[in-house]
Amino acid sequence: QLRLQESGPGLVKPSETLSLTCSLSGDSINSGSYYWGWIRQPPGKGLEWIGSIFYNGNTYYNPSLKSRVTISLDTSRTYFSLKLNSVTATDTSVYYCARRHITAAFDVWGQGTTVIISS
Amino acid sequence: EIVLTQSPATLSVSLGERVALSCTASQSVSSNLAWYQQKPGQAPRLLIYGPSIRATGVPARFSGSGSGTEFTLIISSLQSEDLATYYCQQYNHWAMYTFGQGTKLEIK
């Protein structure tokens, strides 16, 4: 059974780069049946899709974040990563990684990791 | 960008009550809409997609309907464990997904 786990620093300074990793257990990213994505949720607010990556490395980003986001796939295909540069306090959120079937919705989610942007 | 509007933002309900949550899209998303349940401190859980297919393990009291721009999530008889915030999400455009702002269910 697939499980996803986010990891990374919980505190990032303004203007720096937020870096997170999503580790897979129980599967690997080698199927054309799924997209692998990042979604975030500011405190007390709703969900925002950040971007997704396909098994072949193709990436798709939210236009509102596109200039600052990079999602990449590790060669082991057992984890994928998120980088968000030039962060500000508005990037403070719980960050989730998730899997989406190509014909359906996000069916497997990580537990989420809180990232606070503060000096 | 496709905007999803959920109504109401908060709904006061009684246990055992039939509950209907609405999600309206700013343009057609065909049948590419999903519903998620989120409890405090937890990740969202996929309930419904397609938009009437229940995800694995989801109780039969949850059902979804709609197409195009108007969608509804029905809880036929509200249980205490259903008190949560519910989000709709469109995945019609493969490169741009959006979520509604959520509807929070609270006890009347």
Side-chain angles (χ1 to χ4, degrees):
Chain A
Q1 181 181 359
L2 174 67
R3 296 190 68 176
L4 303 177
Q5 177 69 56
E6 305 88 350
S7 60
L11 180 65
V12 179
K13 290 182 168 56
S15 80
E16 295 190 346
T17 296
L18 178 160
S19 296
L20 296 175
T21 295
C22 180
S23 300
L24 281 67
S25 59
D27 202 354
S28 58
I29 304 172
N30 54 20
S31 166
S33 298
Y34 300 100
Y35 293 96
W36 305 85
W38 289 95
I39 297 107
R40 69 180 183 178
Q41 185 170 37
K45 296 188 178 181
L47 300 161
E48 179 182 38
W49 173 71
I50 299 170
S52 295
I53 190 165
F54 201 42
Y55 82 108
N56 60 4
N58 287 352
T59 51
Y60 314 92
Y61 301 132
N62 187 323
S64 68
L65 297 169
K66 187 174 183 177
S67 63
R68 299 194 291 132
V69 173
T70 303
I71 297 175
S72 59
L73 187 56
D74 179 73
T75 53
S76 71
R77 296 185 175 273
T78 59
Y79 69 88
F80 60 103
S81 301
L82 169 69
K83 291 188 185 300
L84 180 66
N85 59 36
S86 305
V87 297
T88 69
T90 58
D91 295 310
T92 293
S93 292
V94 176
Y95 286 78
Y96 297 100
C97 60
R99 180 187 80 172
R100 181 180 97 77
H101 191 273
I102 57 173
T103 64
F106 289 104
D107 62 342
V108 179
W109 293 66
Q111 65 184 30
T113 188
T114 298
V115 180
I116 297 171
I117 310 301
S118 175
S119 55
Chain B
E1 176 184 334
I2 298 174
V3 176
L4 300 180
T5 302
Q6 292 187 243
S7 60
T10 304
L11 187 58
S12 296
V13 296
S14 301
L15 297 182
E17 184 178 337
R18 180 180 183 275
V19 177
L21 306 182
S22 172
C23 178
T24 300
S26 59
Q27 59 185 276
S28 176
V29 298
S30 187
S31 296
N32 298 312
L33 188 111
W35 291 92
Y36 300 86
Q37 176 193 68
Q38 187 179 34
K39 297 180 180 179
Q42 296 185 17
R45 171 197 179 196
L46 177 64
L47 293 178
I48 303 277
Y49 64 96
S52 58
I53 303 169
R54 275 191 301 276
T56 303
V58 174
R61 63 180 180 274
F62 291 93
S63 62
S65 64
S67 66
T69 61
E70 299 288 339
F71 300 88
T72 303
L73 174 69
I74 299 286
I75 309 173
S76 60
S77 178
L78 190 79
Q79 306 298 302
S80 57
E81 60 265 33
D82 302 334
L83 295 173
T85 299
Y86 292 81
Y87 294 94
C88 58
Q89 180 234 335
Q90 66 81 18
Y91 50 95
N92 189 56
H93 192 297
W94 52 268
M96 181 59 198
Y97 313 135
T98 49
F99 291 87
Q101 80 277 22
T103 292
K104 182 179 180 179
L105 297 186
E106 59 180 30
I107 285 292
K108 189 179 293 184

